[in-house]
């Protein structure tokens, strides 16, 4: 334990220590079963139990209403960038609206173009994705196939502060980097999806929450593995699912429910962690990338006066066990990813370092 650093990586990212400890206890042999969770059949009673329990926990944590299905898929969120237009746009003759608020939303739109008509309903590129649209600024198509948004842009550090209203088309949201970080009004969405390795587990599984009426739109000729209807019908067990990754999502859900006390508690904790850093960004020395009303509670992005100073910042932070603070290569600067599992002590230590660094270099 003593050699664990504070890992501010954007993903794969820090996991709660109690989750790692539980996985460690189970790793050689599940109690009463004698098989490792890495070895056990996806058709076993144990795994069927994990699958059912994980869905029940997600339903409880997020307050998912009746009429939605949860599936666990592979291929990351990048595969969803293709699956979504394949299932809900291909052959409809309709237009899909994409609200492009950063790198991930842009990528999603670029994939959708391969399947049908796409309208970029809003694009933050001209200001380097530093803020988000207000409701009236999104130019939706009449009777669009769906509207796609990115709840939190991991690279730029902009996050919708509440569930947006962008017209009548089914709303689909990529919540990869803020899934389970706060309560969500699921009923506003036709689909919610997240790869697990940012805030909900390890790489290898993508959680998709689908409103059942969306399945009626799926065209007939899709490859089975790309067909949401087949995934729902077979309860994520059409083929071998990523069993260990789903087991980790299960442990994360239990941690959120039992140790944290639910998503509102988690959101409060995330808010106070984020404030520790944002309070330091409003002066001259540290320049925040995101406009204050759009700031992400998960990925805090900022710049210093020049790249040399940023490099020194990253190096000196690493000497204090504060790791992975370099910004994404497309944006530069500094990014501190402070997901659910980042302890408040890690953020406090970073804030203290930032004050000292400003004193020494300002
Ligand atoms: C990381 C990320 C993705 C891509 O996820 P992969 O699992 O690597 O495909 C997509 N969207 C957002 C918002 C992300 O943070």
């Amino acid at each position: 334990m003593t050699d664990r650093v504070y890992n501010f990586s954007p993903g794969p990212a820090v996991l709660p220590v109690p989750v790692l400890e539980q996985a460690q206890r189970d790793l050689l042999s599940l109690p009463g079963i004698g098989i490792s969770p890495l070895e056990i059949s996806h058709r076993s009673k144990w795994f069927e139990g994990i699958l059912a329990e994980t869905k029940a926990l997600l339903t409880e944590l997020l307050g998912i209403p009746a009429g939605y299905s949860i599936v666990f898929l592979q291929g990351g969120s990048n595969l969803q960038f293709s699956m979504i237009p394949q299932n809900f746009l291909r052959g409809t003759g309709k237009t899909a609206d994409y609200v492009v608020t950063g790198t991930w939303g842009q990528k999603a739109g670029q994939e959708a173009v391969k399947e049908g008509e796409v309208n970029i309903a809003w694009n933050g590129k001209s200001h380097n994705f530093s803020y988000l649209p207000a409701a009236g600024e999104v130019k939706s198509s009449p009777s669009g196939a769906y509207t796609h948004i990115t709840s939190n842009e991991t690279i730029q550090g902009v996050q919708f502060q509440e569930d947006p209203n962008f017209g009548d088309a089914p709303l689909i949201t990529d919540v990869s980097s803020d899934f389970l970080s706060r309560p969500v009004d699921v009923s506003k969405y036709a689909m919610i999806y997240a790869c697990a390795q940012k805030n909900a587990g390890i790489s290898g599984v993508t959680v998709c929450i689908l409103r059942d009426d969306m399945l009626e739109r799926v065209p007939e000729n899709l490859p089975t593995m790309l067909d949401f209807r087949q995934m729902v019908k077979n309860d994520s067990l059409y083929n071998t699912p990523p069993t260990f990754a789903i087991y980790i999502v299960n442990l994360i859900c239990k941690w959120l429910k039992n140790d944290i006390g639910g998503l509102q508690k988690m959101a409060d904790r995330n808010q106070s962690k984020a404030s520790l850093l944002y309070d330091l960004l409003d002066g001259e020395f540290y320049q925040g990338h995101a406009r204050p009303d759009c700031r992400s509670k998960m990925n805090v992005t900022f710049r210093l006066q020049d790249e040399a100073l940023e490099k020194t910042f990253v190096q000196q932070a690493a000497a204090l066990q504060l790791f992975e603070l370099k910004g994404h290569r497309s944006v530069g600067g500094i990014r501190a990813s402070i997901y659910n599992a980042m302890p408040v002590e890690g953020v406090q230590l970073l804030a203290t370092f930032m004050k000292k660094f400003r004193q020494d270099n300002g």
Side-chain angles (χ1 to χ4, degrees), residues 75-79 81 104 150 152 154 174 176-177 195 197-198:
S77 286
N78 273 276
L79 182 60
F81 296 166
W104 292 115
T150 310
N152 181 66
T154 322
D174 174 359
S176 294
S177 51
C195 52
Q197 73 271 18
K198 273 66 184 272

Side-chain angles (χ1 to χ4, degrees), residues 26-51 237 240-247:
D26 286 347
L27 195 70
L28 272 184
S29 169
L30 288 159
I33 297 176
I35 299 173
S36 166
L38 288 167
E39 303 167 319
I40 198 162
S41 167
H42 61 298
R43 306 284 177 201
S44 62
K45 274 263 161 318
W46 177 80
F47 186 72
E48 279 181 5
I50 288 289
L51 193 62
L237 289 165
T240 316
T243 47
F244 192 77
I246 294 170
Y247 156 76

Side-chain angles (χ1 to χ4, degrees), residues 87-123:
N87 281 264
F88 305 135
L89 178 60
R90 186 187 278 195
T92 59
K94 294 186 174 190
T95 301
D97 291 318
Y98 278 73
V99 180
V100 176
T101 51
T103 307
W104 292 115
Q106 194 168 36
K107 279 193 146 184
Q110 283 162 358
E111 288 300 310
V113 167
K114 300 173 185 173
E115 296 297 334
E117 208 59 50
V118 166
N119 168 46
I120 303 300
W122 189 86
N123 195 342

